[in-house]
Amino acid sequence: MFFQKDIETMHRKDIEALQLERLKHLVDYCMKNVPFYNKRLTEAGVTADKIKCLSDIQYIPYTTKADIRDNYPYGLFAVPMKDIVRIHASSGTTGKPTVVGYTRNDINNWSDCVARFCAAVGVGDEDVAQISFGYGLFTGALGLHYGLEKLGCAVIPISSGNTQKQAMILKDFGATVLISTPSYAMYMSEVAHDMGISNEELKLRIGLFGSEGCTDALRDKIEKGFGLFATDNYGMSELMGPGVSGECEYRCGLHIAEDHFLPEIINSETGEVLPAGEKGELVITTLTKEGIPMLRYRTKDITRLHYDTCKCGRTHVRMEKVQGRSDDMLKIRGVNVFPSQIESVLATIDGISPHYELVLTRKNYTDYLEVRIEINDTALLENFADLDRLQKDAAFKLKTVLGIQAKVTLVAPRSIQRYEGKAKRIIDKRNEEE
């Protein structure tokens, strides 16, 4: 079993001592090798010898996605191209992508981090892992690929798409581990059952899901759909890719690899560092990245950190499931709404599927929210009394949780688009004011 016990169970004071040593080195490394950081740190009056304790990180300016894009493609690289062995880029659909580079040592550290969280949920050398992420510039597929190979898994690099073939391969190749987005796993289970493939014919036992949020309610539906144990992992290309954190068998938070990443929680609006236990925006400093180091990168993800020792014995800090992104938060008539809140409500209502869309419109300078939800049974469309009852139940529960009235529209099964990657839930028509 891949378990780096000396690292994963370090005492808190030893973790922090290691982080401080690596933070000092990182500041010096960035000053010497990245002109962008040299300028930023010089203007802030920060040098490595002025970092006396971890809290001194507060004097280092934040790095944002805009900074990476402004230095497109290689402006933030800290090593010459002869030392770069891999280039990835964000999966963003608008504007220039954020480009990241890896040294050979970065790749080794990355595969270690991935292997850790995979092993923490019981993946080992007897497993057959089907990777249903798209291979390419996106970090998800190759990130998991190298980590799973380090564990000794037999890896099926099928990529995404052709869902019927995906289901066939799951069955015929005896895959025991599935890697995909949560929404694609849900869709794949629907297709498999439509093809007459039962859970009993599959050998699936573990799901390693990432790249998008997954509420507990959606996780439960995936587990029932595929008969596996579903787990979350977290990462982003700007930091490394998957492997920044991942759940263990107890699923009580995602363990952050603290020997490689230094996390903080800040107030998204003020930039103020929040005390331990407070909910806010996650900020990450990459302590060991050589190719493109990141000082205090603002992830925009909303979460909370827990520093107590986990039941599994691991001592590295755990982050809660990401509640949402500060830039994905919807402000409707003065009320903050996260899509994950809506998903959690819908999962409690019998008769509807986990597939939905949020349509935002504006009329007379006022914003309105419509929640379009699939029903499970086509026959319900002809039973107006039951359909009306279901619609009112959903509208009432959404208003109770969100604090605003949303229009609920129930639509036929399979009428909302499925996605092989990240699901696109929000349709914003507010610039098309009626």
Side-chain angles (χ1 to χ4, degrees):
M1 179 181 175
F2 188 92
F3 179 36
Q4 296 174 322
K5 185 175 181 180
D6 290 346
I7 297 171
E8 296 182 68
T9 62
M10 292 176 74
H11 291 297
R12 172 57 38 192
K13 63 179 179 60
D14 295 327
I15 293 173
E16 293 178 353
L18 177 63
Q19 289 177 325
L20 180 59
E21 176 188 338
R22 289 184 169 176
L23 178 60
K24 289 179 178 180
H25 171 77
L26 179 66
V27 170
D28 185 60
Y29 181 77
C30 288
M31 283 285 283
K32 292 177 179 176
N33 297 290
V34 186
F36 166 83
Y37 277 131
N38 182 291
K39 183 174 184 293
R40 278 276 179 93
L41 292 168
T42 300
E43 289 174 350
V46 177
T47 57
D49 60 358
K50 289 187 178 180
I51 303 293
K52 305 296 185 184
C53 57
L54 285 180
S55 62
D56 287 341
I57 196 173
Q58 66 184 299
Y59 304 116
I60 298 174
Y62 294 116
T63 305
T64 66
K65 184 183 286 285
D67 292 327
I68 305 176
R69 284 184 171 146
D70 289 346
N71 287 276
Y72 174 89
Y74 305 139
L76 292 184
F77 283 21
V79 298
M81 289 304 292
K82 70 181 181 65
D83 294 329
I84 294 290
V85 299
R86 177 92 62 80
I87 296 172
H88 280 287
S90 69
S91 54
T93 55
T94 59
K96 297 284 189 181
T98 52
V99 180
V100 294
Y102 302 78
T103 65
R104 193 169 302 282
N105 195 45
D106 288 337
I107 295 292
N108 289 335
N109 286 337
W110 188 7
S111 59
D112 264 9
C113 289
V114 171
R116 275 188 208 172
F117 79 72
C118 293
V121 293
V123 179
D125 57 9
E126 295 186 359
D127 280 299
V128 178
Q130 180 161 322
I131 298 181
S132 298
F133 277 140
Y135 278 74
L137 289 176
F138 170 59
T139 56
L142 283 169
L144 268 297
H145 188 125
Y146 274 58
L148 288 163
E149 283 190 342
K150 179 161 279 192
L151 287 178
C153 290
V155 177
I156 306 170
I158 193 169
S159 195
S160 60
N162 198 342
T163 308
Q164 287 192 334
K165 184 176 182 180
Q166 296 265 0
M168 179 190 75
I169 295 296
L170 276 177
K171 174 176 175 287
D172 294 349
F173 286 24
T176 57
V177 180
L178 174 64
I179 296 92
S180 71
T181 62
S183 54
Y184 191 44
M186 191 74 233
Y187 177 43
M188 204 185 301
S189 71
E190 292 177 354
V191 171
H193 294 157
D194 287 346
M195 293 170 62
I197 300 173
S198 67
N199 289 347
E200 289 70 30
E201 295 177 272
L202 299 173
K203 293 183 179 179
L204 281 177
R205 63 187 195 88
I206 293 174
L208 301 171
F209 302 126
S211 190
E212 66 182 11
C214 182
T215 62
D216 288 343
L218 177 58
R219 182 189 71 194
D220 292 343
K221 288 184 180 293
I222 295 171
E223 289 188 331
K224 290 175 183 174
F226 258 149
L228 49 67
F229 183 73
T231 67
D232 269 1
N233 60 81
Y234 174 84
M236 55 178 55
S237 59
E238 297 91 330
L239 302 176
M240 179 174 70
V244 174
S245 67
E247 289 184 306
C248 68
E249 60 185 303
Y250 293 102
R251 297 192 303 197
C252 54
L254 288 74
H255 295 268
I256 296 176
E258 284 195 273
D259 50 328
H260 296 288
F261 305 98
L262 177 57
E264 304 170 81
I265 297 292
I266 68 168
N267 181 309
S268 287
E269 296 179 359
T270 67
E272 172 195 7
V273 178
L274 298 177
E278 293 290 311
K279 181 183 292 184
E281 179 185 339
L282 178 66
V283 171
I284 295 280
T285 295
T286 62
L287 296 173
T288 57
K289 282 284 291 294
E290 295 176 343
I292 178 168
M294 286 285 122
L295 286 169
R296 304 191 83 197
Y297 184 74
R298 293 190 61 165
T299 69
K300 300 292 185 179
D301 290 322
I302 306 300
T303 185
R304 190 194 324 263
L305 300 178
H306 297 280
Y307 286 87
D308 56 309
T309 299
C310 181
K311 288 184 286 187
C312 71
R314 292 174 177 84
T315 54
H316 289 201
V317 66
R318 305 187 312 283
M319 57 182 279
E320 291 182 358
K321 283 175 177 285
V322 172
Q323 176 183 326
R325 290 181 57 80
S326 60
D327 51 1
D328 278 350
M329 183 181 72
L330 309 175
K331 196 144 191 167
I332 311 294
R333 300 191 294 281
V335 177
N336 296 336
V337 175
F338 287 100
S340 58
Q341 291 175 292
I342 294 171
E343 186 173 297
S344 295
V345 172
L346 300 185
T348 67
I349 304 173
D350 291 333
I352 62 176
S353 82
H355 303 289
Y356 66 94
E357 289 178 335
L358 309 179
V359 182
L360 304 173
T361 55
R362 178 173 293 148
K363 188 173 183 179
N364 297 328
Y365 305 103
T366 301
D367 291 344
Y368 294 91
L369 171 64
E370 177 188 4
V371 184
R372 300 180 70 247
I373 315 163
E374 277 188 13
I375 58 174
N376 285 332
D377 187 356
T378 305
L380 189 61
L381 293 171
E382 300 175 4
N383 190 326
F384 297 110
D386 286 349
L387 197 65
D388 183 63
R389 192 179 304 113
L390 185 60
Q391 185 269 338
K392 288 179 178 176
D393 182 36
F396 173 77
K397 289 181 177 177
L398 284 170
K399 183 177 182 180
T400 300
V401 171
L402 303 181
I404 59 169
Q405 185 73 49
K407 177 184 178 182
V408 171
T409 303
L410 301 179
V411 300
R414 307 296 177 90
S415 60
I416 290 178
Q417 185 174 350
R418 306 303 199 252
Y419 294 92
E420 296 163 359
K422 296 181 182 181
K424 297 169 186 174
R425 308 287 195 194
I426 301 170
I427 302 171
D428 195 342
K429 297 182 177 181
R430 286 178 292 185
N431 290 328
E432 308 170 15
E433 184 172 350
E434 299 173 11

